Amino acid sequence: MSDAKKLVTRRQFLQATIGAAASMAVCDACAGRQETPNFVIIYADDLGYNDLSCYGSDLINTPRIDRMAAEGIKFTDFYSAAAVCTPSRAALLTGCYPIRVNLPSVLGPFSPIGISDREVTLAELLKTRGYATACIGKWHLGDQKPFLPTRHGFDYYFGLPYSNDMPRPNWPVPLIRNEQIIEQPVVQETLTERYTSEAVRFINRNRNRPFFLYLAHTMPHVPLSVSEKFAGRSKRGLYGDVVECIDWSTGEILDTLTSLGLDKNTLVIFASDNGPWLSMRENGGSALPLRDGKGTTWEGGMRVPGIAWWPGRIPKGVVCREVVSTIDLYPTFAALAGARLPTDRIIDGKDVRPLLFGNRPAISPHKAFFYYWKDELQAVRSGKWKLVLEHKSRDGKKVIPQQLFNLETDIGETTDVSAQYPSVVRRLMAYVEEMREDLGDALVGKPGKNRRPCGRVSVQSQ
Ligand code: MG
């Protein structure tokens, strides 16, 4: 080939490449994409794996959340990184196992501890990219002023500082706007509807700039309550009515995004903070076919509904069976927003963009996922295998022995197969030993090297 011909070829190649890049840019513009998408997290409280029709409930009707799943991705193996409220939220907003940020247990009113101001919350991370941020709903990372959402990256806060079942003598549960109590006791019947109008207002107000909305519903955590509009709707009593109200609310959020033309540029996540509170019986949810529920490291305690929606970006109707956790949202959102992750600390979550955007074959970036109860490492999962470590049941009455489960064939954790797969047990034990060094394990008296302190105030006030 002559030199002249080579040059032409190279020029043609460059033109083709630039042309392709330009047409991709045009395409992105057509699709209404910008570099910084909006983010919405809808976080239900104590909603079980089996409490939405798209996850198998035939008593609770959730057409809007089902449609969200049909238009996006439904995760079958989506985990909260904790089995109760406070640590679950700590994990979501820091991208870390709760024990790493030293918030492994539920906080009550007036607790002297809360989220550390040294943590970079997801809201603070997104603020580095100019996001407007709001936390609407339940916070539960400390009710003392230095711990409130407005001190941790949220421009706006409207909600309860902790669970709705935590009144104290002479101190009913308050509703807070920013840092002021505006109602006490909070009227719970209309709470989900009021959260929804606040959320819709926030989206409207920030339609022309990137925003992050964290809508953390107070319910279906007990005490359950709905307005007359939703009462008696479902076949599953008051619990079902409450979930159907959250379904309506989700529809309002999605409709608002669509009517403002923001749907093609907004990633919406729907999830639950932990499994259902089974001891509440008809006032609690269901995690079937998973074993047990809230407050345990059985699958029912931590595996929850998880749905991602972003029309035009996330392929429709995908069912993803890979392990994904709430801790992954932190690095994933950072990558999508072009925010730099803190480099001076460990972040446990992984960027799951390949799973979200349906690039095949995408597999979970977690070689192992860990199930902590407070500071006890009780189980580990790698692929289809889950190794439960010897520990005491929550009431302290029973010793649960070490067991291996194949979650692919035994989703209900019924049959220990450790004797058949000793090499799998050894492999998973190696992950356990690694984690015991890193974050510790009270079951074997290990303190862990890499925990960070939580926040602490010296004087508590109401
Ligand atoms: Mg909860």
Side-chain angles (χ1 to χ4, degrees):
M1 191 187 290
S2 71
D3 279 357
K5 241 188 174 164
K6 267 190 210 163
L7 280 172
V8 169
T9 310
R10 189 195 286 161
R11 192 180 303 137
Q12 281 172 336
F13 169 76
L14 286 171
Q15 275 172 350
T17 313
I18 293 164
S23 69
M24 272 167 70
V26 169
C27 248
D28 275 2
C30 297
R33 287 177 206 155
Q34 56 189 50
E35 274 183 17
T36 47
N38 308 306
F39 301 108
V40 177
I41 298 176
I42 303 172
Y43 212 45
D45 194 340
D46 294 3
L47 179 79
Y49 191 72
N50 189 35
D51 288 333
L52 302 173
S53 16
C54 57
Y55 277 83
S57 175
D58 44 19
L59 295 174
I60 305 175
N61 190 21
T62 52
R64 295 310 309 263
I65 300 171
D66 299 351
R67 200 169 107 197
M68 182 181 168
E71 292 171 356
I73 298 187
K74 180 176 99 166
F75 294 96
T76 59
D77 295 56
F78 189 90
Y79 289 89
S80 168
V84 280
C85 300
T86 297
S88 164
R89 289 142 211 274
L92 175 75
L93 292 181
T94 63
C96 291
Y97 287 107
I99 185 78
R100 193 176 297 288
V101 298
N102 255 302
L103 287 171
S105 308
V106 171
L107 302 177
F110 324 127
S111 167
I113 68 167
I115 188 158
S116 167
D117 54 14
R118 291 194 192 154
E119 292 302 330
V120 180
T121 67
L122 180 52
E124 284 165 327
L125 192 68
L126 293 173
K127 284 218 77 70
T128 65
R129 300 290 292 152
Y131 277 67
T133 54
C135 170
I136 293 167
K138 169 165 153 179
W139 177 240
H140 220 174
L141 292 174
D143 66 331
Q144 300 296 295
K145 278 230 166 103
F147 304 135
L148 290 178
T150 41
R151 308 286 177 103
H152 291 275
F154 289 99
D155 303 327
Y156 182 68
Y157 172 48
F158 178 90
L160 309 193
Y162 35 74
S163 298
N164 56 341
D165 66 341
M166 292 182 167
R168 291 293 180 265
N170 305 316
W171 192 257
V173 176
L175 174 66
I176 295 178
R177 190 190 300 280
N178 293 322
E179 297 186 0
Q180 300 304 320
I181 292 175
I182 56 168
E183 193 175 290
Q184 191 175 25
V186 59
V187 175
Q188 300 211 27
E189 289 82 353
T190 52
L191 202 49
T192 305
E193 285 157 275
R194 286 189 285 164
Y195 285 168
T196 309
S197 353
E198 289 280 337
V200 166
R201 206 171 307 142
F202 172 79
I203 294 171
N204 267 300
R205 249 194 336 255
N206 293 288
R207 62 217 278 181
N208 294 320
R209 59 181 290 199
F211 61 80
F212 167 42
L213 166 65
Y214 171 43
L215 171 56
H217 285 291
T218 285
M219 293 183 205
H221 192 290
V222 295
L224 303 170
S225 200
V226 283
S227 70
E228 245 170 55
K229 188 175 154 196
F230 294 93
R233 265 201 192 191
S234 91
K235 290 187 255 172
R236 177 59 167 75
L238 183 53
Y239 183 88
D241 295 346
V242 164
V243 176
E244 293 193 8
C245 180
I246 289 174
D247 181 70
W248 161 84
S249 167
T250 305
E252 293 294 296
I253 304 294
L254 301 183
D255 287 350
T256 303
L257 293 169
T258 306
S259 71
L260 294 173
L262 298 174
D263 52 326
K264 303 278 194 303
N265 192 38
T266 304
L267 170 57
V268 184
I269 304 286
F270 183 95
S272 176
D273 70 331
N274 51 252
W277 202 347
L278 299 178
S279 57
M280 294 295 138
R281 306 179 72 90
E282 72 275 12
N283 287 332
S286 161
L288 290 173
L290 307 181
R291 180 165 173 178
D292 220 307
K294 176 178 178 172
T296 76
T297 49
W298 299 111
E299 290 296 287
M302 292 171 63
R303 202 199 288 199
V304 290
I307 299 166
W309 182 88
W310 185 350
R313 238 3 246 294
I314 288 180
K316 274 185 188 182
V318 174
V319 176
C320 176
R321 302 190 181 281
E322 295 294 318
V323 170
V324 175
S325 171
T326 51
I327 54 177
D328 300 330
L329 299 179
Y330 185 98
T332 305
F333 287 14
L336 288 166
R340 288 182 54 194
L341 286 178
T343 51
D344 60 344
R345 65 195 68 200
I346 296 170
I347 300 292
D348 296 299
K350 311 280 185 204
D351 178 359
V352 292
R353 282 177 298 166
L355 291 170
L356 277 183
F357 301 130
N359 306 351
R360 312 266 170 100
I363 56 163
S364 173
H366 292 278
K367 62 176 187 184
F369 177 78
F370 298 91
Y371 303 66
Y372 269 91
W373 170 251
K374 297 184 179 173
D375 51 2
E376 296 180 1
L377 179 51
Q378 294 188 346
V380 59
R381 175 174 177 179
S382 182
K384 64 183 178 185
W385 300 106
K386 178 174 177 181
L387 181 67
V388 172
L389 302 164
E390 183 180 302
H391 65 278
K392 280 198 178 144
S393 59
R394 209 178 151 191
D395 58 13
K397 289 184 185 155
K398 253 190 348 204
V399 174
I400 294 158
Q402 182 171 305
Q403 299 165 82
L404 180 73
F405 299 107
N406 177 347
L407 293 176
E408 219 167 79
T409 54
D410 181 20
I411 195 173
E413 299 171 277
T414 62
T415 311
D416 172 26
V417 292
S418 53
Q420 290 101 298
Y421 299 97
S423 64
V424 174
V425 173
R426 275 197 301 276
R427 182 166 68 81
L428 268 63
M429 271 315 289
Y431 294 134
V432 167
E433 293 305 341
E434 232 176 82
M435 199 51 157
R436 283 174 172 166
E437 287 299 317
D438 182 9
L439 284 180
D441 179 3
L443 289 171
V444 293
K446 281 231 165 175
K449 295 184 299 204
N450 298 313
R451 292 190 196 172
R452 304 195 286 265
C454 61
R456 187 172 287 276
V457 290
S458 44
V459 181
Q460 295 144 257
S461 59
Q462 290 189 341

